[in-house]
Amino acid sequence: MKKPSSKIREEIAKLQEQLKHAETREAERIGRIALRAGLGEIEIDEADLQVAFEDLAKRFREGKPGTSGRKGAGESNTGGGQSETVASGAASGGTAEA
């Protein structure tokens, strides 16, 4: 049984709408976390922030130590690159810990 193209288009439109809502929920969740971490209070170039988030995502995907808990994430500096410095600086920027 083949579906007519109009039915497939309807399904694609529904899926695109579901994707849009899912991405909005994810963005709001991550945005709230970033604000609680103090990222809204510092001036940082968007490209640098993007790189820092990509590095953070990579760390979590690889399961490296120091990825769970606020204190461990702020103290762990495994790569030594600029984006890691940005990420750890942002994490410690909201607290008095060094």
Side-chain angles (χ1 to χ4, degrees):
M1 275 201 255
K2 292 189 177 189
K3 294 182 183 180
S5 60
S6 61
K7 190 72 169 173
I8 294 171
R9 282 190 200 95
E10 288 176 21
E11 290 176 12
I12 290 171
K14 288 178 186 177
L15 289 172
Q16 286 174 331
E17 191 64 27
Q18 288 177 7
L19 177 61
K20 180 180 172 184
H21 288 294
E23 288 176 338
T24 300
R25 281 191 310 271
E26 292 167 359
E28 289 172 350
R29 176 180 167 257
I30 292 168
R32 282 190 302 272
I33 293 167
L35 289 174
R36 283 195 302 256
L39 289 176
E41 299 170 7
I42 60 172
E43 288 190 34
I44 184 170
D45 182 61
E46 195 167 316
D48 290 339
L49 189 57
Q50 172 84 30
V51 171
F53 275 125
E54 288 169 357
D55 288 346
L56 182 63
K58 183 179 177 184
R59 281 180 40 203
F60 275 91
R61 284 188 194 112
E62 292 174 356
K64 290 185 179 178
T67 57
S68 64
R70 176 181 275 178
K71 186 174 181 182
E75 291 180 354
S76 175
N77 194 0
T78 57
Q82 177 184 357
S83 58
E84 294 258 338
T85 303
V86 170
S88 64
S92 65
T95 65
E97 296 177 8

